[in-house]
Amino acid sequence: MKSYYIHFIRHGDIAETKNGAYIGITDVSLSSDGREELKKLDNTCRYPYAPVLFSSPLKRCIETCEIIYPGKEPIVVDELSEMNFGLWEGKTAEDLKNHPDFNKWLSGDTSVKPPEGESSADFTRRVCLMFQKIVDGLISTGHTEAVIVTHGGVIMTLMAVYGFPQAKPFEWACESGTGYSIRITPMLWQRDRVSEVYRTIPE
């Protein structure tokens, strides 16, 4: 029976995150340091090749694709975008410390969400439905391997929901330009929606 391999890569560094700001759907480019770090990783390590490349529509992911997979056109999937932090976009924890809902949200209270933003439950639902469509598409078309260039929040959520061994989202945090490879067997996927996390990348 075929196995299917999906490789998740987090985009390169952006200056705003280095400054501690919440950057979700704000469309910022890679920092100059982020570009150089990606080029160094690409030169000294090995990223997986795959016939299919998916990407978030945000510039930091598209630019990451251009550096790691030059000349390969990604399939852009809107649902691969990071969480929408609404009015908290671009603000730091220091900026938000006096907001009545911020500490509740930070502690994982699912009853609150950023003003005009996306709740954790809605974000999880969005990225999970998207990922299931990608997996089902691979199985139906016969492609056995794909790369997904996306955001830290997306990767952590999908690993926590579908990855084995099981771990909490924060335990799947990864540095910029790195990620995980998973193996999917159709029978196990159709029965339990489970995938095997078998390595970190790049090698």
Side-chain angles (χ1 to χ4, degrees):
M1 180 179 290
K2 280 184 181 179
S3 290
Y4 296 83
Y5 302 86
I6 298 177
H7 313 286
F8 291 96
I9 300 172
R10 185 184 176 192
H11 63 75
D13 271 338
I14 57 176
E16 292 80 1
T17 299
K18 288 287 189 182
N19 296 330
Y22 286 98
I23 302 295
I25 62 169
T26 303
D27 202 7
V28 296
S29 291
L30 296 175
S31 65
S32 57
D33 286 346
R35 289 177 177 276
E36 291 306 312
E37 288 167 3
L38 280 176
K39 291 175 183 176
K40 183 178 179 180
L41 279 172
D42 192 35
N43 288 332
T44 58
C45 304
R46 186 175 66 179
Y47 282 101
Y49 173 80
V52 185
L53 174 63
F54 296 97
S55 176
S56 157
L58 299 179
K59 284 187 286 192
R60 54 196 186 268
C61 291
I62 298 296
E63 292 166 357
T64 297
C65 290
E66 291 170 351
I67 293 170
I68 299 175
Y69 300 101
K72 190 168 184 62
E73 191 72 24
I75 298 169
V76 176
V77 180
D78 289 345
E79 290 83 3
L80 284 170
S81 295
E82 183 61 283
M83 179 183 281
N84 180 355
F85 295 116
L87 297 182
W88 294 350
E89 290 271 343
K91 293 183 169 58
T92 66
E94 181 66 21
D95 296 330
L96 297 167
K97 65 182 181 182
N98 294 323
H99 192 285
D101 286 335
F102 178 67
N103 288 325
K104 292 180 182 178
W105 176 81
L106 204 60
S107 68
D109 188 336
T110 57
S111 68
V112 297
K113 67 176 183 178
E116 299 182 21
E118 190 173 25
S119 71
S120 297
D122 286 343
F123 172 68
T124 299
R125 188 179 302 109
R126 164 167 65 86
V127 299
C128 286
L129 286 173
M130 168 278 305
F131 182 63
Q132 289 182 24
K133 288 179 182 177
I134 287 177
V135 174
D136 292 343
L138 290 176
I139 293 173
S140 65
T141 61
H143 288 298
T144 58
E145 200 158 1
V147 170
I148 297 177
V149 177
T150 185
H151 307 268
V154 175
I155 294 172
M156 288 190 293
T157 298
L158 293 176
M159 293 297 98
V161 173
Y162 300 112
F164 183 85
Q166 291 182 326
K168 295 184 182 299
F170 69 86
E171 296 179 90
W172 293 111
C174 55
E175 298 293 329
S176 297
T178 70
Y180 302 98
S181 292
I182 64 171
R183 180 186 293 113
I184 292 172
T185 56
M187 184 177 296
L188 191 59
W189 175 255
Q190 290 165 7
R191 188 186 69 193
D192 298 322
R193 290 289 193 257
V194 172
S195 64
E196 175 197 359
V197 185
Y198 69 94
R199 70 176 178 187
T200 58
I201 50 178
E203 294 183 292

